[in-house]
Amino acid sequence: QVHVVESGGGLVQPGGSLRLSCTASGIIFSIYDINWYRQAPGSQRELVAFIRSDSSTQYADAVKGRFTLSRDNAKNTAYLQMNNLKPEDTAVYYCRILGPRDSWGQGTEVTVSL
């Protein structure tokens, strides 16, 4: 019943910015925590950051100071603002909603390259 869609990925130069969106339907969005993961080519999936239902956040060391999470519960959407992007940020980014069942989006590709 839960449908999760990520968007906002693309190609950006080092030092640039992107804003990823995670929009959900079929769920009471406001009461659940949201995790963001990424998986680089040939690498394991890693937790990037999460935002709780009260909007408190935590970030992986690799992205601290550069990435910012937020959520707009009225729009059933969580955002991952990514600034000062580096080539090592290149990955497929996934949104996970910690609801009654784990609900994942399909991923959105981020490529940081010249």
Side-chain angles (χ1 to χ4, degrees):
Q1 291 184 334
V2 180
H3 187 214
V4 181
V5 178
E6 300 101 333
S7 62
L11 175 64
V12 65
Q13 295 183 359
S17 298
L18 287 172
R19 189 183 72 166
L20 306 185
S21 298
C22 171
T23 299
S25 61
I27 194 172
I28 304 174
F29 187 81
S30 62
I31 67 175
Y32 297 116
D33 298 350
I34 310 296
N35 291 359
W36 284 91
Y37 294 80
R38 67 185 182 187
Q39 187 167 17
S43 300
Q44 298 182 40
R45 186 172 297 184
E46 63 178 346
L47 179 65
V48 175
F50 65 86
I51 183 167
R52 302 183 182 93
S53 59
D54 64 2
S55 294
S56 61
T57 57
Q58 292 190 19
Y59 302 89
D61 288 342
V63 306
K64 286 180 180 177
R66 300 188 297 117
F67 290 12
T68 303
L69 288 172
S70 62
R71 63 193 297 164
D72 186 342
N73 292 327
K75 297 181 178 180
N76 277 20
T77 299
Y79 302 98
L80 179 62
Q81 179 67 46
M82 306 187 297
N83 298 326
N84 192 24
L85 284 161
K86 303 175 180 180
E88 51 263 43
D89 296 318
T90 296
V92 179
Y93 285 73
Y94 297 91
C95 176
R96 176 194 182 197
I97 300 177
L98 300 179
R101 295 170 290 180
D102 280 344
S103 299
W104 294 77
Q106 82 292 340
T108 185
E109 294 186 17
V110 172
T111 302
V112 185
S113 176
L114 296 173

